[in-house]
Amino acid sequence: ELRVKGYGGRAPDPTPEFGRPGAAPPPDRIFKWMSELEVRPENDKWLWKGYLSRGGLTVLSALWKAGKSTLLSHLLRACDGRASEFLGREVVPFRVLYVSEEHEELWAERRDDLGIRDHVGVVSRPFRGRASPAEWVAFVGRAVESVQKYQFDLVIVDTISKLWPVRDENDAGQVEEALMPFWQLTGTGAAVLLVHHNRKSGGKDFTGMRGSGGLPAFAETLIEFGRASESHKDRRRVLNSSGRYKESTAKILIELTPSGYTCVNADYDDAEPTFGGGGPEVRVNGRLIT
């Protein structure tokens, strides 16, 4: 009898009953053979190429008042089918469930300024205070029901630190317990985007995020968003990303203009000089956009 190290001393069966790619395993086993593992077609993998993958979780982090909500507002406008790309990356039409810490009046103003349509549903301040673990799990369960009923493709939680039940962000156990329910959402095939804050001191290699490393470790894709210079008049921002997919690693320079966000440099190098002063103020319907 042929014996091979690594197969319990026996050669593997050369003709096992393997299934076809994407097939569910029979009830008598909990695993899939390698040949059964499914690969999504490239055109069905991304909502926003490199940043938001179907069934994946992305964390976007930045310092407060850096313009995260403005960036995401422009993304909401781009994903209604009117655009084929956003910041130089392919984007497909998709529906968004946006869970926000902000009052709904602010979102009504953004809706009117940018013309955001009803492909977006907004949950404004779902809790009166910090949620308990039970309230959090129940809320994520309701979000799952909404995703399935209304066919949302993306769920945004902005900001996660104001909404989840974590009392100590440095406690990896609390952080991971609060993140586990998101597997219910990604299991539906929806993408999840969590918005978080960076520490004032920052950090290299995506270590600038506030709190436990359990949050960035949980995600498929990490995006750091920051100013291109120290001038608050500078409308340019840097979008630095990395993740488990080869398409996710990039650093780009973007700029907010009166017509929206544009990609200035798709292969941005920190060694490039930054120029203070930025450009003219950007206003939409008379309102200053930062």
Side-chain angles (χ1 to χ4, degrees):
E1 182 181 7
L2 176 63
R3 293 183 176 271
V4 179
K5 183 178 180 181
Y7 288 97
R10 297 181 56 190
D13 185 345
T15 57
E17 286 198 23
F18 294 145
R20 63 185 184 281
D28 64 339
R29 57 181 165 93
I30 62 171
F31 62 90
K32 288 185 177 182
W33 295 112
M34 290 294 287
S35 60
E36 294 174 329
L37 300 181
E38 187 174 12
V39 177
R40 288 169 293 174
E42 192 65 25
N43 60 2
D44 192 44
K45 182 177 180 179
W46 297 103
L47 300 177
W48 182 22
K49 190 167 184 178
Y51 299 117
L52 299 173
S53 60
R54 296 184 187 275
L57 189 142
T58 297
V59 177
L60 168 68
S61 65
L63 289 174
W64 49 92
K65 308 305 179 187
K68 298 183 299 297
S69 295
T70 300
L71 173 72
L72 294 176
S73 297
H74 283 268
L75 173 64
L76 296 182
R77 183 176 68 172
C79 71
D80 69 357
R82 286 181 283 184
S84 59
E85 62 88 21
F86 182 61
L87 302 182
R89 295 293 189 97
E90 295 174 22
V91 63
V92 300
F94 57 88
R95 289 187 175 188
V96 182
L97 178 62
Y98 204 117
V99 185
S100 176
E101 68 174 86
E102 296 179 316
H103 192 279
E104 68 175 72
E105 183 176 315
L106 291 172
W107 280 104
E109 291 176 355
R110 293 180 183 123
R111 173 201 64 200
D112 296 340
D113 287 345
L114 298 176
I116 300 173
R117 299 172 176 174
D118 279 346
H119 63 295
V120 179
V122 178
V123 183
S124 177
R125 297 180 175 175
F127 308 110
R128 292 185 177 180
R130 187 174 295 279
S132 68
E135 289 172 330
W136 177 247
V137 170
F139 177 75
V140 175
R142 292 197 64 189
V144 170
E145 293 173 358
S146 294
V147 165
Q148 293 172 329
K149 182 175 181 180
Y150 297 101
Q151 299 181 330
F152 288 111
D153 302 288
L154 171 65
V155 178
I156 299 177
V157 183
D158 180 12
T159 57
I160 185 65
S161 61
K162 293 289 183 65
L163 296 166
W164 63 3
V166 173
R167 263 60 180 178
D168 181 2
E169 290 182 350
N170 293 303
D171 186 328
Q174 288 188 46
V175 168
E176 291 170 358
E177 186 175 359
L179 292 171
M180 289 295 183
F182 285 119
W183 279 345
Q184 299 176 53
L185 279 169
T186 57
T188 68
V192 173
L193 173 61
L194 306 182
V195 182
H196 195 41
H197 287 134
N198 282 342
R199 299 189 304 270
K200 286 188 292 186
S201 58
K204 295 182 178 180
D205 299 323
F206 300 91
T207 60
M209 199 177 301
R210 200 174 71 188
S212 166
L215 175 54
F218 195 85
E220 274 77 33
T221 305
L222 301 175
I223 305 173
E224 290 183 339
F225 178 69
R227 299 180 182 275
S229 74
E230 294 182 359
S231 172
H232 282 257
K233 291 185 178 181
D234 192 344
R235 302 301 173 201
R236 297 172 305 156
R237 299 290 187 268
V238 177
L239 210 59
N240 188 22
S241 62
S242 184
R244 294 175 180 156
Y245 300 111
K246 62 181 182 295
E247 298 94 335
S248 298
T249 300
K251 180 182 285 189
I252 66 174
L253 182 67
I254 64 178
E255 184 174 13
L256 181 60
T257 70
S259 60
Y261 260 112
T262 62
C263 179
V264 177
N265 189 340
D267 189 20
Y268 182 63
D269 185 349
D270 278 338
E272 293 182 353
T274 57
F275 302 95
E281 292 183 343
V282 177
R283 294 181 178 270
V284 178
N285 292 345
R287 186 176 291 107
L288 178 64
I289 303 297
T290 61

